[in-house]
Amino acid sequence: MSSPTTTATAEKTSAGSPQKRTIILLFAGLMVTMLLASLDQTIFSTALPTIVGELNGVDHMLWVTTAYILASTIMLPVYGKLGDLIGRKGLFIGAIGLFIAGSVVGGLAPDMTWLITGRAIQGLGGGGLMILSQAIIADVVPARERGRYMGVMGGVFALSSVAGPLLGGWFTESIGWRWAFWMNIPLGILAIASAVVFLRLPKGAQRKPRLDFAGMGLLAIASTCLVLVTTWGGTTYDWDSGVIISLIGGTVVAGLAFVLVESRAAEPIMPLKLFRDRNFNLTTIAGLIIGIAMFGALAYLPTYLQMVTGANATEAGLLMIPMMAALLITSIVAGQLVSKTGRYKWLPIVGTVIVAGSLVLLSTMTPSLPVWVLCTFLAVMGIGLGMSMQILILIVQNSFPVSQVGTATASNNYFRQIGASLGSAIVGSLFVARLTGLLADRMPAGGSDASGSSNSFTPAIVKALPGPVRDVIVGAYNDALTPVFLYMVPLVLVAAVLLCFVKEKPLATTVERDVLPTTLETDGSTHPVLDPADADRDSTTAPEGLSPDTANDLDGDERERELVTR
């Protein structure tokens, strides 16, 4: 009789085996899709001035980025839940197809309306590319080995943060900004081919799933209101304006209604039982805080670099490379350490402390600080982020059975994305308020007349101003931003303290499933499947270390989790 950990419900991959090679090829395809999704969050940042000029849509500029972020954020929990219910392969291919369709609409856009529509369609698919890639790895790779893969995934986000603005600038200045859309088509087709050929997953539920439409709608409303608050607050509208107050009220009401609906739904989009797991709660809060710190810093550092150091847009992007390179290297090394040792709790704790230290260092910046020192500060932040970001996702995935891993991963990523929006908004609001006040106090009489209103300052204009006026503006930018970094330090330290209470559960060395498929093909071969008689006998066999009576008392999820961790 086969034991539970040697049957089709427990898949192991040995180095050099056909299955191992197939997983590597599949992983390469997943990386292409994640790169597509993450690039599209940043690739238009440097191309926007040209795009809105050609399409006569300066007043709609904000929506080119907001439409994508909003659509992808809303879809994260939807893709996560649907993947758990009906299987991820078809959903994954559909998300790529939707992303390609959005790219075609954007590439052919004759005006801003069509361009924003294309970006929204891209976002609807992009949310699936990000979350399903992470969940699929959990389907085929045991948690103990997953660290090395998750580390590379973290590196993809680091690469896209630098490559996106650089590619956008290069396309705009050479072959045209529409190629930021057209390049997605061949890469998307390649990703689909990889999924069709290499992705072999057990099918989801054979019964018709009961979709939580009410939950989806309420989550979309709450997410939309919150993203608009963070996007418009303090910029398009004052924080105390009727629009912003209404949006905040809409977020609260929709959020409360969502919790009520989820408590009664048969298949909730974001099950409330997720929040009964201590590790999920702690890592989700920590991820939200890290999102606030990371994106709060990233949103305005390029502006700071241009205004204070005199770098142009491309040079400012290049100055961010030390941070991204450190994040890439550290993320990969951290993943390898987890896979080799099986220990992971210390990494995000140390990482968040390092992030807090980097924020302290950034708060000491001055206009006379050598550029290499500033780049060193950024590299320190990259080290901290690399030690924490993807490991937090691994902790979440290791806390739930495969049947729930998509929902749990999506929910965790959803709150991190919300943290990113909040971080950009909070830092932006504080920065702009301080900058406006400092310029009003320090600008010499008639100083702004030399270049027009202080609202129209650009790096080129500031660089051409007389020395005394330029020094005042540069000093104001420095003194407006650097204290904001210090404000975030206590928040990040709170995340470090919370992570100290994470329970370090053993990482699974097999992929456990709660459904016995007729075959588990990841390499074209058929793996053994339990004989029904053996399955009946094994159903009463206790996992090692549990008595039969105790095992029979466990529900399906608890029994599976015991198998995963033993």
Side-chain angles (χ1 to χ4, degrees):
M1 180 179 67
S2 302
S3 67
T5 53
T6 59
T7 64
T9 60
E11 302 167 46
K12 295 185 178 181
T13 58
S14 60
S17 67
Q19 186 173 340
K20 182 73 172 181
R21 290 194 294 272
T22 301
I23 287 176
I24 292 175
L25 291 172
L26 168 63
F27 183 68
L30 296 179
M31 290 303 93
V32 172
T33 61
M34 289 194 72
L35 185 62
L36 284 175
S38 54
L39 272 178
D40 265 65
Q41 292 182 339
T42 59
I43 197 168
F44 290 98
S45 60
T46 49
L48 270 180
T50 301
I51 293 173
V52 298
E54 288 186 12
L55 301 182
N56 299 315
V58 174
D59 53 339
H60 295 105
M61 180 189 297
L62 191 62
W63 281 101
V64 177
T65 301
T66 302
Y68 182 89
I69 293 175
L70 180 58
S72 61
T73 300
I74 291 172
M75 291 303 294
L76 285 176
V78 176
Y79 278 114
K81 184 64 179 183
L82 287 179
D84 286 343
L85 287 177
I86 65 176
R88 284 181 251 281
K89 180 175 179 178
L91 205 59
F92 184 60
I93 293 172
I96 301 174
L98 199 57
F99 188 84
I100 292 174
S103 298
V104 172
V105 173
L108 295 174
D111 54 40
M112 287 296 290
T113 300
W114 278 100
L115 180 72
I116 293 169
T117 301
R119 290 288 286 161
I121 296 172
Q122 277 189 310
L124 294 176
L129 302 190
M130 290 188 288
I131 203 63
L132 292 174
S133 296
Q134 295 175 353
I136 286 170
I137 286 297
D139 279 331
V140 298
V141 179
R144 178 65 182 265
E145 298 298 318
R146 205 177 302 151
R148 64 189 66 183
Y149 295 95
M150 301 297 282
V152 177
M153 285 181 168
V156 168
F157 286 104
L159 176 64
S160 65
S161 297
V162 173
L166 293 179
L167 271 177
W170 182 76
F171 283 144
T172 301
E173 295 173 359
S174 56
I175 57 180
W177 59 265
R178 293 181 188 270
W179 278 94
F181 289 105
W182 297 134
M183 74 165 189
N184 296 328
I185 298 175
L187 292 176
I189 293 173
L190 177 64
I192 290 176
S194 173
V196 170
V197 174
F198 299 116
L199 186 55
R200 296 290 186 270
L201 300 175
K203 294 181 180 179
Q206 298 303 309
R207 59 183 173 82
K208 185 178 180 180
R210 301 172 63 182
L211 300 181
D212 179 21
F213 290 109
M216 292 180 191
L218 288 169
L219 186 66
I221 293 172
S223 302
T224 300
C225 290
L226 183 58
V227 170
L228 291 180
V229 167
T230 59
T231 303
W232 288 346
T235 53
T236 306
Y237 300 98
D238 293 333
W239 284 106
D240 58 354
S241 68
V243 172
I244 297 301
I245 292 174
S246 299
L247 287 172
I248 293 173
T251 302
V252 173
V253 172
L256 293 175
F258 175 74
V259 172
L260 181 63
V261 167
E262 295 303 274
S263 66
R264 300 178 179 180
E267 291 288 354
I269 193 79
M270 191 182 292
L272 299 184
K273 67 179 181 180
L274 292 177
F275 299 94
R276 298 173 193 160
D277 185 273
R278 181 171 70 180
N279 281 4
F280 177 82
N281 289 332
L282 294 173
T283 54
T284 297
I285 295 172
L288 187 148
I289 291 174
I290 291 173
I292 291 175
M294 177 182 178
F295 288 91
L298 290 181
Y300 291 93
L301 270 173
T303 299
Y304 176 91
L305 291 170
Q306 292 181 66
M307 286 295 191
V308 175
T309 69
N312 59 34
T314 302
E315 291 168 345
L318 293 174
L319 288 174
M320 300 294 289
I321 287 180
M323 175 180 171
M324 300 311 166
L327 196 159
L328 171 63
I329 295 170
T330 309
S331 184
I332 293 173
V333 171
Q336 294 287 344
L337 282 174
V338 170
S339 293
K340 184 176 181 179
T341 66
R343 307 303 298 271
Y344 55 86
K345 178 178 177 178
W346 67 275
L347 280 164
I349 296 173
V350 174
T352 49
V353 171
I354 292 175
V355 170
S358 70
L359 291 172
V360 173
L361 293 174
L362 290 172
S363 71
T364 66
M365 293 188 302
T366 63
S368 60
L369 187 74
V371 172
W372 70 268
V373 176
L374 194 154
C375 290
T376 302
F377 294 169
L378 294 176
V380 173
M381 174 171 278
I383 292 172
L385 293 172
M387 294 177 69
S388 54
M389 288 179 60
Q390 294 303 112
I391 303 299
L392 294 179
I393 296 175
L394 177 63
I395 294 173
V396 169
Q397 292 184 343
N398 193 55
S399 299
F400 296 93
V402 173
S403 60
Q404 300 175 22
V405 75
T407 302
T409 304
S411 299
N412 181 268
N413 276 266
Y414 172 81
F415 285 105
R416 182 181 298 182
Q417 192 81 356
I418 293 299
S421 296
L422 289 174
S424 298
I426 293 169
V427 172
S429 179
L430 291 172
F431 172 55
V432 170
R434 289 179 56 83
L435 178 63
T436 303
L438 289 172
L439 286 175
D441 293 340
R442 298 179 181 180
M443 187 65 70
S448 60
D449 296 337
S451 58
S453 170
S454 60
N455 288 327
S456 63
F457 285 145
T458 66
I461 290 175
V462 171
K463 198 171 184 179
L465 289 174
V469 178
R470 182 176 64 248
D471 291 343
V472 167
I473 297 172
V474 168
Y477 267 86
N478 182 85
D479 295 345
L481 184 61
T482 51
V484 179
F485 293 131
L486 202 58
Y487 300 159
M488 291 190 287
V489 172
L491 192 62
V492 176
L493 291 178
V494 168
V497 172
L498 290 175
L499 290 172
C500 292
F501 295 95
V502 166
K503 182 179 180 181
E504 190 172 55
K505 302 175 183 179
L507 293 173
T509 57
T510 58
V511 178
E512 304 289 345
R513 306 192 187 279
D514 58 350
V515 176
L516 284 175
T518 55
T519 180
L520 292 177
E521 295 179 349
T522 57
D523 58 355
S525 62
T526 302
H527 297 271
V529 178
L530 273 180
D531 180 86
D534 285 340
D536 290 339
R537 288 193 296 271
D538 277 344
S539 66
T540 58
T541 301
E544 182 181 352
L546 288 181
S547 67
D549 290 340
T550 304
N552 288 333
D553 289 338
L554 298 176
D555 63 23
D557 291 345
E558 290 171 329
R559 179 180 175 81
E560 181 179 15
R561 203 171 304 154
E562 287 293 338
L563 287 171
V564 170
T565 57
R566 289 178 184 276

